[in-house]
Short mmCIF file of all heavy atoms in Angstrom, two decimals:
data_model
loop_
_atom_site.label_atom_id
_atom_site.label_comp_id
_atom_site.label_asym_id
_atom_site.label_seq_id
_atom_site.Cartn_x
_atom_site.Cartn_y
_atom_site.Cartn_z
N GLN A 1 9.34 -13.51 -14.97
CA GLN A 1 9.45 -13.19 -16.40
C GLN A 1 10.24 -14.29 -17.11
O GLN A 1 11.33 -14.66 -16.68
CB GLN A 1 10.15 -11.82 -16.55
CG GLN A 1 9.94 -11.18 -17.90
CD GLN A 1 11.11 -11.46 -18.84
OE1 GLN A 1 12.06 -12.17 -18.50
NE2 GLN A 1 11.02 -10.94 -20.05
N PRO A 2 9.72 -14.86 -18.17
CA PRO A 2 10.32 -16.05 -18.79
C PRO A 2 11.76 -15.86 -19.26
O PRO A 2 12.61 -16.74 -19.04
CB PRO A 2 9.38 -16.38 -19.95
CG PRO A 2 8.08 -15.76 -19.56
CD PRO A 2 8.42 -14.53 -18.81
N GLN A 3 12.05 -14.74 -19.92
CA GLN A 3 13.37 -14.59 -20.54
C GLN A 3 14.49 -14.56 -19.52
O GLN A 3 15.53 -15.19 -19.70
CB GLN A 3 13.42 -13.34 -21.41
CG GLN A 3 14.69 -13.23 -22.25
CD GLN A 3 14.86 -14.42 -23.20
OE1 GLN A 3 13.95 -14.74 -23.96
NE2 GLN A 3 16.01 -15.07 -23.16
N ILE A 4 14.30 -13.85 -18.41
CA ILE A 4 15.36 -13.79 -17.43
C ILE A 4 15.58 -15.16 -16.80
O ILE A 4 16.72 -15.55 -16.51
CB ILE A 4 15.08 -12.72 -16.34
CG1 ILE A 4 16.26 -12.62 -15.37
CG2 ILE A 4 13.81 -13.01 -15.57
CD1 ILE A 4 17.60 -12.32 -16.01
N ARG A 5 14.53 -15.93 -16.61
CA ARG A 5 14.69 -17.28 -16.08
C ARG A 5 15.49 -18.15 -17.06
O ARG A 5 16.38 -18.89 -16.65
CB ARG A 5 13.33 -17.91 -15.80
CG ARG A 5 12.59 -17.30 -14.62
CD ARG A 5 11.29 -18.02 -14.36
NE ARG A 5 10.72 -17.64 -13.07
CZ ARG A 5 9.73 -18.28 -12.47
NH1 ARG A 5 9.17 -19.34 -13.04
NH2 ARG A 5 9.27 -17.88 -11.31
N THR A 6 15.17 -18.02 -18.33
CA THR A 6 15.89 -18.79 -19.36
C THR A 6 17.36 -18.38 -19.38
O THR A 6 18.27 -19.22 -19.44
CB THR A 6 15.26 -18.57 -20.73
OG1 THR A 6 13.91 -19.07 -20.72
CG2 THR A 6 16.04 -19.29 -21.82
N ASP A 7 17.61 -17.07 -19.32
CA ASP A 7 18.99 -16.57 -19.36
C ASP A 7 19.78 -17.02 -18.13
O ASP A 7 20.95 -17.40 -18.23
CB ASP A 7 19.00 -15.05 -19.46
CG ASP A 7 18.56 -14.55 -20.84
OD1 ASP A 7 18.49 -15.37 -21.77
OD2 ASP A 7 18.29 -13.34 -20.96
N LEU A 8 19.15 -16.98 -16.97
CA LEU A 8 19.83 -17.44 -15.76
C LEU A 8 20.13 -18.93 -15.82
O LEU A 8 21.19 -19.38 -15.39
CB LEU A 8 18.99 -17.12 -14.52
CG LEU A 8 18.94 -15.65 -14.11
CD1 LEU A 8 17.87 -15.41 -13.05
CD2 LEU A 8 20.30 -15.17 -13.60
N GLY A 9 19.21 -19.70 -16.38
CA GLY A 9 19.45 -21.13 -16.56
C GLY A 9 20.67 -21.39 -17.41
O GLY A 9 21.51 -22.25 -17.10
N LYS A 10 20.80 -20.63 -18.50
CA LYS A 10 21.97 -20.78 -19.36
C LYS A 10 23.25 -20.36 -18.62
O LYS A 10 24.29 -21.01 -18.74
CB LYS A 10 21.80 -19.91 -20.62
CG LYS A 10 20.78 -20.42 -21.61
CD LYS A 10 20.50 -19.40 -22.71
CE LYS A 10 21.76 -19.04 -23.51
NZ LYS A 10 21.45 -18.06 -24.58
N ALA A 11 23.15 -19.28 -17.84
CA ALA A 11 24.33 -18.77 -17.14
C ALA A 11 24.82 -19.74 -16.06
O ALA A 11 26.02 -19.86 -15.82
CB ALA A 11 24.02 -17.41 -16.54
N PHE A 12 23.89 -20.42 -15.40
CA PHE A 12 24.26 -21.36 -14.33
C PHE A 12 24.62 -22.75 -14.88
O PHE A 12 25.10 -23.60 -14.11
CB PHE A 12 23.11 -21.52 -13.33
CG PHE A 12 22.99 -20.38 -12.35
CD1 PHE A 12 21.87 -19.59 -12.32
CD2 PHE A 12 24.02 -20.13 -11.44
CE1 PHE A 12 21.75 -18.55 -11.41
CE2 PHE A 12 23.91 -19.09 -10.53
CZ PHE A 12 22.77 -18.29 -10.51
N ALA A 13 24.39 -22.99 -16.16
CA ALA A 13 24.64 -24.32 -16.74
C ALA A 13 26.08 -24.75 -16.48
O ALA A 13 27.03 -24.01 -16.74
CB ALA A 13 24.35 -24.29 -18.24
N GLY A 14 26.22 -25.95 -15.96
CA GLY A 14 27.55 -26.48 -15.65
C GLY A 14 28.10 -26.02 -14.32
O GLY A 14 29.12 -26.53 -13.85
N ARG A 15 27.40 -25.06 -13.66
CA ARG A 15 27.89 -24.54 -12.37
C ARG A 15 26.78 -24.53 -11.32
O ARG A 15 26.89 -23.86 -10.29
CB ARG A 15 28.48 -23.14 -12.56
CG ARG A 15 29.56 -23.07 -13.63
CD ARG A 15 30.23 -21.72 -13.70
NE ARG A 15 31.07 -21.46 -12.53
CZ ARG A 15 31.88 -20.39 -12.42
NH1 ARG A 15 31.94 -19.50 -13.39
NH2 ARG A 15 32.60 -20.21 -11.33
N ARG A 16 25.70 -25.26 -11.61
CA ARG A 16 24.54 -25.24 -10.72
C ARG A 16 24.90 -25.62 -9.29
O ARG A 16 24.37 -25.02 -8.33
CB ARG A 16 23.46 -26.20 -11.26
CG ARG A 16 22.31 -26.52 -10.30
CD ARG A 16 21.44 -25.29 -10.04
NE ARG A 16 20.38 -25.54 -9.07
CZ ARG A 16 20.48 -25.33 -7.77
NH1 ARG A 16 21.63 -24.87 -7.25
NH2 ARG A 16 19.47 -25.56 -6.96
N GLU A 17 25.81 -26.56 -9.09
CA GLU A 17 26.14 -27.03 -7.75
C GLU A 17 26.88 -25.98 -6.93
O GLU A 17 26.99 -26.11 -5.71
CB GLU A 17 26.97 -28.32 -7.83
CG GLU A 17 26.24 -29.49 -8.46
CD GLU A 17 24.93 -29.80 -7.75
OE1 GLU A 17 24.93 -29.81 -6.51
OE2 GLU A 17 23.92 -30.02 -8.44
N GLN A 18 27.37 -24.94 -7.58
CA GLN A 18 28.04 -23.87 -6.86
C GLN A 18 27.04 -22.86 -6.29
O GLN A 18 27.41 -21.99 -5.50
CB GLN A 18 29.00 -23.12 -7.79
CG GLN A 18 30.20 -23.93 -8.25
CD GLN A 18 31.06 -23.13 -9.20
OE1 GLN A 18 31.12 -23.40 -10.40
NE2 GLN A 18 31.72 -22.10 -8.70
N ALA A 19 25.76 -22.97 -6.70
CA ALA A 19 24.78 -21.94 -6.38
C ALA A 19 23.74 -22.44 -5.37
O ALA A 19 23.31 -23.59 -5.42
CB ALA A 19 24.07 -21.48 -7.65
N VAL A 20 23.37 -21.55 -4.46
CA VAL A 20 22.21 -21.75 -3.59
C VAL A 20 21.11 -20.84 -4.13
O VAL A 20 21.23 -19.62 -4.09
CB VAL A 20 22.54 -21.37 -2.13
CG1 VAL A 20 21.30 -21.43 -1.25
CG2 VAL A 20 23.64 -22.27 -1.58
N LEU A 21 20.07 -21.46 -4.68
CA LEU A 21 19.01 -20.69 -5.34
C LEU A 21 17.80 -20.51 -4.43
O LEU A 21 17.33 -21.47 -3.82
CB LEU A 21 18.57 -21.39 -6.62
CG LEU A 21 19.58 -21.50 -7.76
CD1 LEU A 21 18.95 -22.21 -8.95
CD2 LEU A 21 20.10 -20.12 -8.17
N GLN A 22 17.31 -19.28 -4.36
CA GLN A 22 16.03 -18.99 -3.75
C GLN A 22 15.02 -18.83 -4.88
O GLN A 22 15.08 -17.87 -5.65
CB GLN A 22 16.08 -17.69 -2.94
CG GLN A 22 16.86 -17.76 -1.65
CD GLN A 22 16.67 -16.51 -0.78
OE1 GLN A 22 17.00 -16.56 0.40
NE2 GLN A 22 16.15 -15.43 -1.32
N GLY A 23 14.10 -19.79 -5.01
CA GLY A 23 13.05 -19.72 -6.03
C GLY A 23 11.71 -19.50 -5.35
O GLY A 23 11.41 -20.14 -4.34
N HIS A 24 10.88 -18.61 -5.89
CA HIS A 24 9.69 -18.16 -5.18
C HIS A 24 8.43 -18.90 -5.62
O HIS A 24 8.19 -19.11 -6.82
CB HIS A 24 9.52 -16.65 -5.36
CG HIS A 24 10.53 -15.86 -4.61
ND1 HIS A 24 10.19 -14.88 -3.70
CD2 HIS A 24 11.89 -15.91 -4.60
CE1 HIS A 24 11.29 -14.35 -3.19
NE2 HIS A 24 12.34 -14.96 -3.72
N ILE A 25 7.62 -19.24 -4.63
CA ILE A 25 6.32 -19.89 -4.84
C ILE A 25 5.25 -18.81 -4.69
O ILE A 25 5.07 -18.25 -3.60
CB ILE A 25 6.08 -21.00 -3.80
CG1 ILE A 25 7.19 -22.05 -3.88
CG2 ILE A 25 4.71 -21.64 -3.98
CD1 ILE A 25 7.20 -23.04 -2.71
N GLY A 26 4.58 -18.49 -5.77
CA GLY A 26 3.54 -17.47 -5.72
C GLY A 26 3.84 -16.25 -6.56
O GLY A 26 3.02 -15.33 -6.62
N ALA A 27 5.00 -16.21 -7.21
CA ALA A 27 5.30 -15.15 -8.18
C ALA A 27 4.99 -15.69 -9.56
O ALA A 27 5.58 -16.68 -9.99
CB ALA A 27 6.77 -14.73 -8.09
N VAL A 28 4.02 -15.07 -10.27
CA VAL A 28 3.58 -15.58 -11.56
C VAL A 28 3.66 -14.46 -12.61
O VAL A 28 3.81 -13.28 -12.29
CB VAL A 28 2.14 -16.15 -11.49
CG1 VAL A 28 2.04 -17.20 -10.39
CG2 VAL A 28 1.12 -15.05 -11.26
N TRP A 29 3.52 -14.87 -13.87
CA TRP A 29 3.62 -13.95 -15.00
C TRP A 29 2.32 -14.05 -15.81
O TRP A 29 2.01 -15.10 -16.34
CB TRP A 29 4.82 -14.34 -15.87
CG TRP A 29 5.16 -13.39 -16.97
CD1 TRP A 29 4.91 -13.54 -18.30
CD2 TRP A 29 5.85 -12.14 -16.85
NE1 TRP A 29 5.40 -12.48 -19.01
CE2 TRP A 29 5.97 -11.59 -18.14
CE3 TRP A 29 6.36 -11.42 -15.76
CZ2 TRP A 29 6.61 -10.37 -18.39
CZ3 TRP A 29 6.98 -10.20 -16.01
CH2 TRP A 29 7.10 -9.69 -17.30
N GLU A 30 1.57 -12.95 -15.84
CA GLU A 30 0.30 -12.95 -16.55
C GLU A 30 0.15 -11.68 -17.38
O GLU A 30 0.40 -10.58 -16.88
CB GLU A 30 -0.88 -13.04 -15.57
CG GLU A 30 -1.00 -14.39 -14.88
CD GLU A 30 -2.24 -14.48 -14.01
OE1 GLU A 30 -2.85 -13.43 -13.71
OE2 GLU A 30 -2.61 -15.60 -13.63
N ASN A 31 -0.23 -11.86 -18.64
CA ASN A 31 -0.44 -10.72 -19.54
C ASN A 31 0.78 -9.80 -19.60
O ASN A 31 0.67 -8.57 -19.59
CB ASN A 31 -1.67 -9.92 -19.12
CG ASN A 31 -2.93 -10.77 -19.11
OD1 ASN A 31 -3.15 -11.57 -20.03
ND2 ASN A 31 -3.77 -10.61 -18.09
N GLY A 32 1.95 -10.44 -19.62
CA GLY A 32 3.19 -9.68 -19.73
C GLY A 32 3.60 -8.93 -18.48
O GLY A 32 4.44 -8.03 -18.55
N GLN A 33 3.04 -9.31 -17.30
CA GLN A 33 3.35 -8.61 -16.08
C GLN A 33 3.57 -9.58 -14.91
O GLN A 33 2.97 -10.65 -14.88
CB GLN A 33 2.23 -7.65 -15.69
CG GLN A 33 1.98 -6.53 -16.67
CD GLN A 33 0.92 -5.56 -16.17
OE1 GLN A 33 1.15 -4.85 -15.20
NE2 GLN A 33 -0.24 -5.55 -16.81
N TYR A 34 4.41 -9.13 -13.98
CA TYR A 34 4.58 -9.86 -12.72
C TYR A 34 3.32 -9.74 -11.89
O TYR A 34 2.68 -8.69 -11.84
CB TYR A 34 5.78 -9.28 -11.95
CG TYR A 34 5.66 -9.42 -10.44
CD1 TYR A 34 5.91 -10.63 -9.80
CD2 TYR A 34 5.28 -8.32 -9.67
CE1 TYR A 34 5.79 -10.74 -8.42
CE2 TYR A 34 5.17 -8.42 -8.29
CZ TYR A 34 5.43 -9.64 -7.67
OH TYR A 34 5.30 -9.74 -6.31
N LYS A 35 2.97 -10.81 -11.18
CA LYS A 35 1.82 -10.80 -10.29
C LYS A 35 2.08 -11.75 -9.14
O LYS A 35 2.71 -12.79 -9.30
CB LYS A 35 0.56 -11.23 -11.06
CG LYS A 35 -0.72 -11.20 -10.25
CD LYS A 35 -1.91 -11.65 -11.09
CE LYS A 35 -3.19 -11.69 -10.26
NZ LYS A 35 -4.34 -12.18 -11.07
N ARG A 36 1.57 -11.39 -7.97
CA ARG A 36 1.61 -12.30 -6.82
C ARG A 36 0.29 -13.07 -6.79
O ARG A 36 -0.78 -12.48 -6.90
CB ARG A 36 1.78 -11.50 -5.52
CG ARG A 36 1.77 -12.34 -4.27
CD ARG A 36 1.99 -11.50 -3.03
NE ARG A 36 1.04 -10.40 -2.92
CZ ARG A 36 0.87 -9.68 -1.81
NH1 ARG A 36 1.58 -9.94 -0.74
NH2 ARG A 36 0.00 -8.69 -1.79
N SER A 37 0.37 -14.39 -6.64
CA SER A 37 -0.84 -15.21 -6.71
C SER A 37 -0.84 -16.26 -5.61
O SER A 37 0.21 -16.76 -5.22
CB SER A 37 -0.95 -15.89 -8.07
OG SER A 37 -2.08 -16.75 -8.12
N ARG A 38 -2.05 -16.60 -5.14
CA ARG A 38 -2.22 -17.73 -4.22
C ARG A 38 -3.04 -18.85 -4.87
O ARG A 38 -3.40 -19.80 -4.20
CB ARG A 38 -2.91 -17.27 -2.93
CG ARG A 38 -2.18 -16.15 -2.20
CD ARG A 38 -0.74 -16.48 -1.89
NE ARG A 38 -0.06 -15.39 -1.18
CZ ARG A 38 1.19 -15.07 -1.36
NH1 ARG A 38 1.94 -15.73 -2.25
NH2 ARG A 38 1.74 -14.08 -0.67
N ASP A 39 -3.31 -18.69 -6.16
CA ASP A 39 -3.99 -19.74 -6.93
C ASP A 39 -3.01 -20.91 -7.05
O ASP A 39 -1.97 -20.81 -7.69
CB ASP A 39 -4.36 -19.21 -8.31
CG ASP A 39 -5.12 -20.21 -9.16
OD1 ASP A 39 -4.78 -21.41 -9.12
OD2 ASP A 39 -6.03 -19.79 -9.90
N ILE A 40 -3.35 -22.03 -6.40
CA ILE A 40 -2.37 -23.12 -6.30
C ILE A 40 -1.99 -23.69 -7.65
O ILE A 40 -0.84 -24.11 -7.85
CB ILE A 40 -2.88 -24.22 -5.34
CG1 ILE A 40 -1.74 -25.19 -4.99
CG2 ILE A 40 -4.08 -24.94 -5.92
CD1 ILE A 40 -0.55 -24.53 -4.32
N SER A 41 -2.90 -23.70 -8.60
CA SER A 41 -2.56 -24.22 -9.92
C SER A 41 -1.51 -23.32 -10.59
O SER A 41 -0.59 -23.81 -11.26
CB SER A 41 -3.81 -24.33 -10.80
OG SER A 41 -4.39 -23.06 -11.02
N LYS A 42 -1.64 -22.01 -10.39
CA LYS A 42 -0.65 -21.09 -10.96
C LYS A 42 0.68 -21.19 -10.20
O LYS A 42 1.75 -21.14 -10.81
CB LYS A 42 -1.18 -19.65 -10.92
CG LYS A 42 -2.39 -19.42 -11.81
CD LYS A 42 -2.91 -18.00 -11.67
CE LYS A 42 -4.15 -17.79 -12.54
NZ LYS A 42 -4.72 -16.43 -12.38
N CYS A 43 0.59 -21.33 -8.89
CA CYS A 43 1.82 -21.49 -8.10
C CYS A 43 2.61 -22.72 -8.56
O CYS A 43 3.83 -22.68 -8.73
CB CYS A 43 1.48 -21.62 -6.62
SG CYS A 43 0.84 -20.11 -5.86
N ARG A 44 1.90 -23.81 -8.75
CA ARG A 44 2.55 -25.04 -9.22
C ARG A 44 3.16 -24.85 -10.61
O ARG A 44 4.31 -25.24 -10.85
CB ARG A 44 1.55 -26.19 -9.26
CG ARG A 44 1.16 -26.74 -7.89
CD ARG A 44 0.13 -27.87 -8.03
NE ARG A 44 -0.21 -28.47 -6.76
CZ ARG A 44 0.44 -29.48 -6.20
NH1 ARG A 44 1.48 -30.02 -6.84
NH2 ARG A 44 0.06 -29.97 -5.04
#
């Protein structure tokens, strides 16, 4: 979901090196909903 990603980016600003982030490959946002995808273009 775009907004939570944006908010987390702001929250980690200036402290990124203190964090170990797990970011997921294959979790996408379509038509206002979370979706799991293996479409490589969407994953990228």
